[in-house]
Amino acid sequence: MDALMNSPAPRSLRSSKRLRVAIYAPHFAEYSYRLASGLAHHCDVRLVLNRKDANQQWELADIAVAAPFETRIRDLSLRRGGAIGIPASFLDIISFRPDVIHCHEVPEIYTSKLIQLLRPLGIPLVLTVHDAIPHSEGGSGTSPREDAWRERMRAAASVVTTHGESCIADFCRASPDFKGQTVSSMHGVLMVPPATGAITAPDTARILFFGRMWAYKGLDVFVDAIDMLARRGVPHEAIVAGRGPEMTRLGARMEAMPTVKTINAYISPADTGRLFQSATVVALPYKDATQSGVLASAYGNSRPVVASATGGIPDVVTDGVNGLLVPPGDAAALADALERVLTSKPLAATLTDGARQTAAGILNWDRIAEQLLGSYQKLAGRTVS
């Protein structure tokens, strides 16, 4: 059954020249909802979401929407209602008569099948590739079946978007035979506090490590750095929040550390927002990286980061402006950078202001949508004004 969060613009108010863009997003619900909101200033938009993913992410109803668009939510599982929801979601896309379809590359069957079914119709496809190359240790792993899905998705795309120039370079190395256009489209802010809620002051000297706890996220490096801060006598509180194999592997060690608090559980959107708001600084000691939803969430909450200078992170984090960059895998450098932020109020204030400006600038969804519009217009054969 359909669920409409925003009504489409009345036909009498639509221009016949407006593009029609369909976004199919079994994953990345908040990302897609915020993108749809930005695009709706310029296009007629229909967004199709997966019910489970939408329910687990940010409270979509709290996101301010200036221009209306249509949202349909389907049960996209192979159990229960999925037998109906999956084909119905395909019809949601086709019946909208889009000029352009925008999908996320996720190694699963729903999007891959949809793309193959739509290919004979000749509707141009924009594909957002989040991880051009699978992470080194866990996360977006690969298998022969997943590789085949990726290859089919990329072969069908007219335009691939990635999050920054570093990610474009990764994609070109991974898919040298891709014949379409590859463009940079930044990962916009996430988990932005509702317009009715003010951003609160952080707790004193609180460091947040948040996300899915895969090995490439560098939790072991973070724990080593926190141990160094404790031995140096630097006042701090470290919050490690999320689930994954590294929480099990490192759990006993973290439990024995008096300045570390772990939250090894599903964290609701409301609690996630409070965690980011409570942080003085967010740590991202990734061993390798492409885009980062955690980084986007930190900046969405005006919180600076200490992050590894790897992958696409330096495309967003400018050292000394909106965060501090450290070499990946270097616990001592991470501890030094965290100590600088925790012990220097002027530095923390400068980085916090930089995070806020980055959120309003290159990570602003309206700006991201405007930049994508040119690619959409070219694909649809429209003249770019």
Side-chain angles (χ1 to χ4, degrees):
M1 184 174 181
D2 296 348
L4 303 180
M5 292 186 183
N6 285 290
S7 299
R11 290 188 180 275
S12 60
L13 298 180
R14 296 180 187 174
S15 165
S16 60
K17 296 182 180 180
R18 281 171 67 89
L19 285 172
R20 298 175 69 80
V21 178
I23 303 174
Y24 187 76
H27 304 273
F28 305 102
E30 185 191 353
Y31 178 117
S32 302
Y33 195 86
R34 293 187 184 277
L35 175 60
S37 178
L39 289 170
H41 292 288
H42 313 282
C43 315
D44 292 338
V45 179
R46 177 178 286 178
L47 170 64
V48 178
L49 299 177
N50 183 353
R51 188 180 309 281
K52 180 179 179 180
D53 187 60
N55 288 341
Q56 288 185 346
Q57 296 204 17
W58 195 245
E59 295 291 349
L60 302 184
D62 289 340
I63 298 175
V65 174
F69 62 94
E70 186 178 0
T71 303
R72 297 197 173 187
I73 299 181
R74 297 291 187 179
D75 182 354
L76 302 182
S77 74
L78 294 177
R79 292 177 286 181
R80 301 185 303 279
I84 298 173
I86 293 171
S89 70
F90 295 176
L91 290 174
D92 288 334
I93 298 298
I94 296 169
S95 65
F96 186 62
R97 294 174 285 111
D99 297 300
V100 175
I101 298 171
H102 195 146
C103 297
H104 298 276
E105 181 187 79
V106 180
E108 43 80 69
I109 194 169
Y110 316 129
T111 308
S112 178
K113 287 293 186 184
L114 172 67
I115 289 172
Q116 296 308 306
L117 287 171
L118 294 176
R119 218 173 164 181
L121 301 179
I123 304 171
L125 173 69
V126 175
L127 184 69
T128 292
V129 174
H130 293 266
D131 296 314
I133 299 173
H135 290 294
S136 60
E137 300 173 286
S140 56
T142 187
S143 69
R145 182 173 64 172
E146 291 175 348
D147 285 341
W149 284 334
R150 286 190 183 92
E151 289 175 6
R152 286 196 290 267
M153 292 181 192
R154 296 180 185 186
S158 299
V159 171
V160 160
T161 75
T162 68
H163 301 105
E165 296 301 323
S166 174
C167 296
I168 287 180
D170 284 346
F171 180 81
C172 292
R173 286 193 295 271
S175 298
D177 297 328
F178 179 67
K179 303 302 182 184
Q181 182 185 15
T182 308
V183 300
S184 174
S185 179
M186 302 309 291
H187 190 313
V189 293
L190 299 179
M191 299 185 184
V192 180
T196 55
I199 292 181
T200 59
D203 290 0
T204 301
R206 173 173 282 191
I207 309 164
L208 176 63
F209 186 108
F210 181 90
R212 297 181 65 188
M213 299 298 172
W214 297 99
Y216 78 90
K217 295 287 186 75
L219 180 57
D220 53 349
V221 179
F222 179 73
V223 172
D224 287 343
I226 295 301
D227 187 49
M228 292 178 189
L229 290 181
R231 285 189 274 113
R232 294 176 188 178
V234 178
H236 67 278
E237 178 189 26
I239 305 295
V240 178
R243 294 186 294 186
E246 290 295 273
M247 290 292 271
T248 300
R249 185 174 77 88
L250 299 168
R253 182 182 175 191
M254 290 189 291
E255 286 295 322
M257 299 173 69
T259 63
V260 176
K261 177 183 178 182
T262 60
I263 306 174
N264 187 3
Y266 165 72
I267 304 169
S268 70
D271 287 341
T272 297
R274 284 190 283 270
L275 280 174
F276 275 95
Q277 285 287 294
S278 73
T280 301
V281 61
V282 179
L284 295 90
Y286 295 176
K287 297 176 180 178
D288 57 78
T290 49
Q291 49 76 33
S292 171
V294 176
L295 176 58
S297 299
Y299 285 169
N301 285 275
S302 300
R303 295 298 181 254
V305 301
V306 171
S308 298
T310 184
I313 288 177
D315 290 335
V316 182
V317 181
T318 301
D319 189 60
V321 175
N322 53 16
L324 299 178
L325 291 171
V326 298
D330 190 333
L334 178 63
D336 291 344
L338 290 170
E339 182 175 356
R340 288 178 60 198
V341 178
L342 296 179
T343 58
S344 173
K345 290 185 178 180
L347 176 61
T350 295
L351 299 181
T352 297
D353 187 59
R356 185 181 302 109
Q357 291 185 36
T358 303
I362 64 170
L363 303 191
N364 177 276
W365 284 107
D366 288 342
R367 174 172 171 168
I368 292 166
E370 288 177 4
Q371 292 172 338
L372 278 173
L373 187 62
S375 295
Y376 291 158
Q377 289 172 324
K378 289 178 182 178
L379 287 178
R382 304 289 181 88
T383 299
V384 180
S385 57

